Amino acid sequence: QGYTGAMGRKLHAGGSGLPDGEPLPDRDPELGTLDHFAINVEPYDPETARVYLEQCGYPPFSEGMRYGADGDGYSMYLRDPEGNIVELKSGLK
């Protein structure tokens, strides 16, 4: 399953890397090569997590149900203090 990542790069979900025949994404030394990294967390209440993250100065910029390496689950994307994109991903309850 493919999807467009937060930085506009086409990604392949499921932990298998890029599909056969898919070209490597362009690499920009200024932007780096990391699209995002995911942290697998216990199921959480999205509203409570959103309010907490906003109060701490890290508002999510994208969230919802998504398919990923561990299957379907809810995820939130935000930027850490160094500007990296972090995905907080939980499986289904």
Side-chain angles (χ1 to χ4, degrees):
Q1 161 158 347
Y3 62 97
T4 300
M7 293 176 65
R9 295 185 178 123
K10 185 72 172 172
L11 303 174
H12 181 74
S16 300
L18 293 171
D20 289 338
E22 192 70 24
L24 292 175
D26 291 334
R27 295 179 185 211
D28 183 334
E30 296 297 316
L31 295 176
T33 57
L34 177 71
D35 179 77
H36 77 284
F37 67 92
I39 301 173
N40 195 343
V41 297
E42 294 293 324
Y44 57 88
D45 174 58
E47 180 63 25
T48 301
R50 184 181 320 104
V51 168
Y52 175 77
L53 291 167
E54 288 172 350
Q55 289 173 344
C56 292
Y58 303 103
F61 60 83
S62 180
E63 60 183 280
M65 291 297 296
R66 293 189 174 83
Y67 177 81
D70 61 349
D72 291 325
Y74 198 87
S75 67
M76 287 186 170
Y77 287 84
L78 58 133
R79 291 196 180 269
D80 72 7
E82 295 179 351
N84 299 302
I85 298 174
V86 179
E87 176 188 12
L88 301 178
K89 173 80 181 336
S90 71
L92 298 175
K93 288 184 179 182

